[in-house]
Amino acid sequence: ERESVQKKTFQKWVNSHLVRCSCRIGDLYVDLRDGKMLIKLLEILSGERLPRPTKGKMRIHCLENVDKALQFLREQRVHLENMGSHDIVDGNPRLSLGLIWTIILRFQIQDITIEETDNQETKSAKDALLLWCQMKTAGYHNVNVRNFTTSWRDGLAFNAIIHKHRPDLIQFDKLSKSNAMYNLNNAFNVAEDKLGLTKLLDAEDIFVDHPDEKSIITYVVTYYHYFSKMKQETVHGKRIGKVVGIAMENDRMIHEYESMTSDLLRWIESTIESLGDRNFANSLVGVQSQLSQFSNYRTIEKPPKFVEKGNLEVLLFTLQSKMRANNQKPYTPKEGKMISDINKAWERLEKAEHERELALREELIRQEKLEQLAARFNRKASMRETWLSENQRLVSQDNFGFDLAAVEAAAKKHEAIETDIFAYEERVQAVMAVSQELEAENYHDILKINERKVNVLRLWNYLLELLRARRMRLELSLQLQQNFQEMLYILDSMEELKQRLLTDDYGKHLMGVEDLLQKHSLVEADINVLGERVKAVVQQSQ
């Protein structure tokens, strides 16, 4: 609602000046976009000739025209904070209103100065306008102008100002504080019909809980300029002061400006150096703490300095305006202490701040990844430790059985166990690789990681030792069972040969004896073969 009131007021104000060149705008946000009306308005207000507008309706032409207007304002030492030509071309409501308000301040309000006779204190701009209103309404019943908002709601202040200068136009005694809408309409209509002042406001805009200050100031200043031109206007609207007093005040302001500038620049340089420090804490908690400190700097430490920077600009602008108004050569800061120098230093501060934020967030991401990697290491290490311990218990058991078949089955099972364990080496190496990566990235708790890595390696090597020892025992047991089997075979063979040798059949004739001799030779050969097997089994047993 406040924005719509401002838009309507500022639009009427603009049209009240554009009428001098037979122009008008229909929408404040739309009709200023091409920059042409803006250039005309500034020419009317300043009495100076601005560069000719660029022809064409393309966006680039609009940007050029608006930029010409903004450049003219900068040359008039008007500070346009965070405002560019693209904002006006895009019809940005807040910045469009801000631009018109800046123009009103520069060409309608800035040079208003009133000197109070009791203390000879010089006031400027808004305060001077408020003082002027208070002086003009002093003594009027139910009129107490303390601000540019609620003091005007009942309409009596508007009527009082008109009555003070033109009592023939207003019957002030017949006005009632309770009839605000009538009072407002009466003042606005008389000002428009009798004085030719454009009706920038409607009664409905003012008779609200919180009237818009800028809109009221814009309208009231038209009263000030109108009545200031009247022949019977007294010298109360002009700034009067002693030359010595002005000079002393100027010197005080110069000293204040230089002192504040030095302090601010010192703080900026010190902060830039601090922001450039890249020795971050080597832990996630530490970096989070540094990020919190950085956030505190942005929200607590920096904002007052930004306000201080703005105050410096206002102070210098006020000082130069005062000196210019007194036909004195405006004060120019020394090299290194100009507003441009402060702005450049502030830009370097903003750059250092941005770079530190990026570096902190990058380090935060790195530390988070390291913590995730460490958690993965611990999880894997825990799984490996459990597996290795269980398999150590498994290979420590010698349940091979008590016969050859059982031992041979145990040997096959052992080979399967070996295959599983040897295949697990890759997983153990994966844990080692994670620990090496953490060490390479300088993880803050690398000592604990290395301790656990050593423990996993110790368990692995011990398991391999147990596995080798079990295989040796198993091979020995297998050899033993094979020897037992061979011995049983030899004993059975010996018993069979013994039976063959104990026979009493020596033959009854030559053919029979020769046949038995041949068979005996075969028995002897079998005994010799069996003897070799006995020697072999004895040797293996030893």
Side-chain angles (χ1 to χ4, degrees):
E1 183 181 348
R2 179 166 295 185
E3 182 179 306
S4 65
V5 172
Q6 279 188 19
K7 179 185 177 185
K8 179 174 67 176
T9 305
F10 290 178
Q11 185 170 310
K12 288 182 178 180
W13 178 84
V14 170
N15 283 331
S16 72
H17 291 281
L18 287 179
V19 72
R20 291 166 59 181
C21 64
S22 301
C23 296
R24 67 176 283 106
I25 60 172
D27 189 314
L28 188 68
Y29 299 156
V30 176
D31 295 341
L32 294 183
R33 290 184 176 183
D34 62 4
K36 294 177 182 178
M37 288 298 182
L38 201 54
I39 290 175
K40 286 183 180 180
L41 176 65
L42 291 174
E43 286 181 340
I44 292 170
L45 291 170
S46 66
E48 296 181 27
R49 192 73 179 169
L50 270 72
R52 183 183 295 275
T54 303
K55 293 182 179 180
K57 296 183 179 181
M58 293 177 64
R59 177 179 175 83
I60 189 171
H61 301 137
C62 298
L63 288 169
E64 286 180 8
N65 289 335
V66 173
D67 200 53
K68 288 175 183 178
L70 297 184
Q71 184 58 36
F72 173 75
L73 287 172
R74 292 189 189 99
E75 291 170 0
Q76 297 291 313
R77 296 181 183 274
V78 174
H79 180 61
L80 301 170
E81 185 175 344
N82 297 328
M83 186 184 298
S85 53
H86 61 279
D87 297 314
I88 308 304
V89 174
D90 292 339
N92 184 300
R94 184 177 65 83
L95 293 178
S96 295
L97 291 175
L99 175 61
I100 298 301
W101 177 243
T102 301
I103 292 172
I104 292 171
L105 286 174
R106 172 62 185 85
F107 295 101
Q108 296 281 283
I109 300 174
Q110 175 183 305
D111 295 326
I112 298 176
T113 54
I114 304 294
E115 184 183 280
E116 292 184 285
T117 55
D118 55 349
N119 59 9
Q120 295 187 345
E121 178 186 352
T122 301
K123 295 180 179 290
S124 296
K126 177 182 162 184
D127 290 340
L129 184 61
L130 183 64
L131 177 59
W132 180 82
C133 294
Q134 290 169 343
M135 290 166 58
K136 298 305 173 186
T137 58
Y140 281 83
H141 184 60
N142 283 333
V143 178
N144 184 14
V145 180
R146 293 183 175 276
N147 53 45
F148 285 109
T149 55
T150 53
S151 297
W152 303 81
R153 288 182 69 248
D154 56 20
L156 291 179
F158 291 108
N159 284 278
I161 291 176
I162 296 173
H163 184 268
K164 177 71 176 179
H165 298 91
R166 291 289 303 274
D168 58 309
L169 299 179
I170 299 286
Q171 292 180 308
F172 190 86
D173 293 336
K174 294 186 178 181
L175 299 177
S176 170
K177 183 177 180 66
S178 60
N179 198 355
M181 292 295 287
Y182 173 82
N183 299 339
L184 289 165
N185 282 319
N186 183 61
F188 296 168
N189 291 335
V190 168
E192 186 172 42
D193 298 339
K194 304 297 183 181
L195 305 179
L197 298 179
T198 302
K199 188 178 179 182
L200 302 182
L201 298 171
D202 293 323
E204 294 80 8
D205 300 333
I206 307 302
F207 191 59
V208 293
D209 291 338
H210 301 287
D212 180 61
E213 183 184 61
K214 291 180 180 178
S215 298
I216 291 177
I217 290 176
T218 303
Y219 184 50
V220 171
V221 81
T222 62
Y223 282 43
Y224 169 84
H225 286 298
Y226 177 85
F227 293 122
S228 293
K229 293 178 182 178
M230 292 177 60
K231 292 181 181 180
Q232 64 269 33
E233 182 65 44
T234 63
V235 292
H236 293 296
K238 299 178 182 178
R239 187 166 64 106
I240 302 172
K242 294 181 181 179
V243 175
V244 175
I246 292 173
M248 289 178 65
E249 174 65 10
N250 290 345
D251 286 344
R252 184 194 68 77
M253 292 178 73
I254 290 171
H255 176 74
E256 182 182 359
Y257 172 83
E258 292 184 346
S259 175
M260 287 176 65
T261 302
S262 297
D263 292 344
L264 181 60
L265 287 172
R266 255 195 311 272
W267 177 83
I268 290 174
E269 294 303 328
S270 171
T271 306
I272 288 174
E273 183 178 353
S274 175
L275 291 171
D277 183 14
R278 293 294 181 269
N279 292 321
F280 299 132
N282 188 27
S283 69
L284 179 59
V285 173
V287 174
Q288 286 173 336
S289 175
Q290 288 179 317
L291 202 55
S292 176
Q293 292 170 6
F294 177 74
S295 178
N296 287 338
Y297 149 78
R298 267 190 167 171
T299 56
I300 298 173
E301 183 180 356
K302 183 186 174 188
K305 297 298 180 181
F306 183 75
V307 172
E308 195 175 310
K309 173 176 168 288
N311 290 341
L312 271 172
E313 294 178 9
V314 173
L315 178 62
L316 180 61
F317 179 75
T318 304
L319 173 61
Q320 291 176 335
S321 297
K322 281 187 174 185
M323 297 181 78
R324 202 176 286 112
N326 286 285
N327 296 322
Q328 294 178 327
K329 182 180 178 182
Y331 163 72
T332 302
K334 298 175 185 176
E335 188 71 30
K337 291 190 175 182
M338 297 181 179
I339 294 297
S340 59
D341 296 318
I342 297 173
N343 288 333
K344 287 177 184 175
W346 195 266
E347 285 175 6
R348 289 193 295 110
L349 175 69
E350 297 276 6
K351 185 173 181 250
E353 178 183 316
H354 176 67
E355 289 173 350
R356 181 167 181 82
E357 182 180 23
L358 290 179
L360 270 172
R361 296 204 177 280
E362 185 178 332
E363 180 63 17
L364 180 70
I365 291 170
R366 191 182 82 87
Q367 290 293 343
E368 286 174 342
K369 287 182 178 178
L370 284 178
E371 289 297 337
Q372 292 170 0
L373 195 62
R376 189 173 61 161
F377 170 85
N378 285 319
R379 189 168 61 252
K380 285 181 177 290
S382 178
M383 292 167 62
R384 304 299 177 265
E385 287 167 347
T386 301
W387 189 91
L388 290 169
S389 297
E390 289 176 350
N391 279 271
Q392 284 174 10
R393 285 193 293 273
L394 177 65
V395 299
S396 296
Q397 299 170 0
D398 286 355
N399 49 346
F400 303 144
F402 301 101
D403 55 49
L404 182 61
V407 174
E408 285 176 342
K412 287 184 178 180
K413 185 177 179 182
H414 182 83
E415 287 177 359
I417 293 172
E418 278 186 334
T419 302
D420 288 343
I421 290 176
F422 291 150
Y424 202 76
E425 182 177 8
E426 185 178 340
R427 298 191 181 187
V428 174
Q429 291 302 324
V431 174
M432 300 302 108
V434 174
S435 72
Q436 289 168 2
E437 186 177 351
L438 285 167
E439 187 166 7
E441 289 294 326
N442 193 27
Y443 178 61
H444 71 95
D445 208 6
I446 193 63
L447 290 178
K448 285 186 178 179
I449 297 294
N450 284 335
E451 286 176 6
R452 198 155 194 186
K453 177 188 77 173
V454 169
N455 185 52
V456 171
L457 277 175
R458 181 183 62 78
L459 290 172
W460 171 251
N461 291 327
Y462 184 51
L463 176 61
L464 293 180
E465 289 176 11
L466 290 175
L467 193 64
R468 283 192 293 272
R470 189 175 191 270
R471 170 165 279 283
M472 289 175 65
R473 293 195 303 275
L474 186 58
E475 288 175 350
L476 185 63
S477 179
L478 183 62
Q479 185 65 48
L480 188 63
Q481 290 297 335
Q482 288 173 341
N483 286 347
F484 284 157
Q485 195 73 18
E486 181 70 5
M487 288 176 183
L488 289 174
Y489 172 80
I490 291 171
L491 287 172
D492 289 344
S493 298
M494 288 173 66
E495 185 64 29
E496 182 187 345
L497 289 171
K498 179 181 175 183
Q499 293 300 325
R500 287 166 64 184
L501 289 172
L502 290 174
T503 181
D504 293 334
D505 183 13
Y506 301 115
K508 298 187 185 325
H509 46 76
L510 179 61
M511 290 282 293
V513 171
E514 288 177 347
D515 182 57
L516 287 173
L517 283 171
Q518 191 174 2
K519 287 181 178 179
H520 185 79
S521 296
L522 290 173
V523 170
E524 284 181 337
D526 287 341
I527 290 172
N528 289 333
V529 169
L530 195 62
E532 291 300 320
R533 292 184 73 165
V534 169
K535 288 179 184 178
V537 76
V538 168
Q539 187 176 0
Q540 287 176 353
S541 298
Q542 289 174 344

